[in-house]
Amino acid sequence: MRLVRWLFLRNPPIKMNKAIFFALSCVLSWSFIPVISKIATADISPLQFLFLSNVLSAGMIGGLLFAWRHKIDGIFLQCKNALPATFLPGFLGCFFYYLCLYYGYSKANGIAVLVVQYLWPVLIVLLAPFILGEKLTSRGGVAAACGFMGTVVVATKGDFTSFDTQSLPVLGIVFAGALAFALFSLLSKKVRCHTLVATFLFFVWASLLSLFALLLTTGVRLPSTRAAWLGLLLNGAIVNGLSYFWWLRALQLEKVSRIAPLVFLTPILACLWLVVFWGETFYVSYAAGILMCVAAGLIASKAERI
């Protein structure tokens, strides 16, 4: 009962602030991406999965906007005014990032891709002083470094020589995707409208871009299995839909350098879900990586506000 009260009251009765709560909700949602995408992409292509997920996410957030239309001032005017400003972040974070990611996993070693993919929280911390004028604190830098090392330990299973150095062009594309999502997170803070409005417009732009890419390639195809439909619905509604709203809300409430390192928990949890749902081996190095990422999150949550 106390937890329920905290979720809906403006002043939470425990020390964890709302920004950390939204960020951790996002982390939990994103950790299911490998499991869900593995199920869905067994039946449809990654690009088709991206398009359908973006459409469902836009519909999900659009439904929330309609339900709360009387609580958001000038909702239609906000949508109209924010339409141009949301194109670039929508392109970077909801379309280009996933294209680079899917391409990387299809062409290069998955371990190397995972490590490069999760450079984006580090890039957020490093770029925030230039784009948002935030001061890079020593704690923020230590948290980012600690979280990234935890990710590397998990991704390489403690064997650092396993990192793939033969696919540098492909990894360069994955890095471009990581940079795109970092820029998306930073630029989204500059969009002046309600968070739900911004999230809805991001997915609208991504849906149109995904549709255009599909029409130029394979065309639109719907899933043919129940498992793929279930994965698609979960991804579109929560993992890709609501999670973006939570992430943008967390960024609005707190400094990005304090929130970003918490994301390093995502690949750790993702590994755990793969062990639980797919029976993959749990390595001792996973425990070390978990401890490092938890430490990064604690350091980030204690970082001084400016």
Side-chain angles (χ1 to χ4, degrees), residues 28-42 49 105 227-228 230-232 234-235 239 266-280:
L28 180 61
S29 297
W30 286 346
S31 70
F32 284 99
I33 289 177
V35 174
I36 291 177
S37 62
K38 189 172 182 178
I39 294 174
T41 54
F49 180 55
Y105 278 117
L230 178 60
L232 177 62
L234 287 175
N235 192 74
V239 176
T266 305
I268 310 302
L269 291 175
C271 289
L272 293 178
W273 303 148
L274 289 173
V275 170
V276 172
F277 294 107
W278 295 96
E280 296 193 7

Side-chain angles (χ1 to χ4, degrees), residues 46-61:
L47 184 56
Q48 290 165 341
F49 180 55
L50 175 60
F51 165 67
L52 294 173
S53 292
N54 281 329
V55 170
L56 287 173
S57 297
M60 175 72 176
I61 302 301

Side-chain angles (χ1 to χ4, degrees), residues 28-279:
L28 180 61
S29 297
W30 286 346
S31 70
F32 284 99
I33 289 177
V35 174
I36 291 177
S37 62
K38 189 172 182 178
I39 294 174
T41 54
D43 184 53
I44 55 178
S45 71
L47 184 56
Q48 290 165 341
F49 180 55
L50 175 60
F51 165 67
L52 294 173
S53 292
N54 281 329
V55 170
L56 287 173
S57 297
M60 175 72 176
I61 302 301
L64 291 177
L65 272 179
F66 181 78
W68 295 349
R69 63 189 183 281
H70 299 301
K71 299 181 180 180
I72 302 175
D73 295 333
I75 184 172
F76 296 107
L77 183 60
Q78 285 194 50
C79 287
K80 178 182 177 181
N81 293 338
L83 194 61
T86 53
F87 172 76
L88 182 58
F91 168 79
L92 291 171
C94 301
F95 176 72
F96 185 72
Y97 166 66
Y98 284 107
L99 276 186
C100 294
L101 191 60
Y102 291 150
Y103 178 79
Y105 278 117
S106 66
K107 297 293 183 180
N109 180 275
I111 293 176
V113 173
L114 180 65
V115 174
V116 175
Q117 173 193 355
Y118 278 95
L119 278 173
W120 69 261
V122 178
L123 293 172
I124 284 180
V125 176
L126 296 178
L127 293 174
F130 301 99
I131 297 179
L132 299 179
E134 291 186 359
K135 181 180 178 181
L136 178 61
T137 64
S138 58
R139 283 192 177 187
V142 170
C146 186
F148 179 65
M149 285 305 300
T151 302
V152 172
V153 169
V154 171
T156 61
K157 301 180 178 66
D159 181 11
F160 297 101
T161 62
S162 64
F163 192 90
D164 182 12
T165 59
Q166 298 180 354
S167 302
L168 292 181
V170 177
L171 296 180
I173 293 176
V174 177
F175 178 80
L179 178 61
F181 197 84
L183 291 173
F184 159 77
S185 299
L186 294 169
L187 293 176
S188 65
K189 294 197 70 167
K190 293 179 173 290
V191 177
R192 302 304 178 191
C193 63
H194 193 278
T195 308
L196 271 179
V197 172
T199 308
F200 171 69
L201 293 178
F202 290 152
F203 283 121
V204 169
W205 282 121
S207 298
L208 293 174
L209 291 166
S210 303
L211 176 60
F212 180 73
L214 272 179
L215 293 177
L216 291 178
T217 54
T218 60
V220 180
R221 189 173 73 85
L222 298 177
S224 59
T225 65
R226 290 183 179 180
W229 270 113
L230 178 60
L232 177 62
L233 291 173
L234 287 175
N235 192 74
I238 299 176
V239 176
N240 203 38
L242 284 176
S243 68
Y244 268 66
F245 168 70
W246 294 333
W247 179 244
L248 295 175
R249 188 65 181 136
L251 292 176
Q252 284 186 339
L253 294 172
E254 186 56 85
K255 288 170 47 185
V256 294
S257 57
R258 191 169 182 240
I259 293 298
L262 297 175
V263 178
F264 286 115
L265 286 170
T266 305
I268 310 302
L269 291 175
C271 289
L272 293 178
W273 303 148
L274 289 173
V275 170
V276 172
F277 294 107
W278 295 96

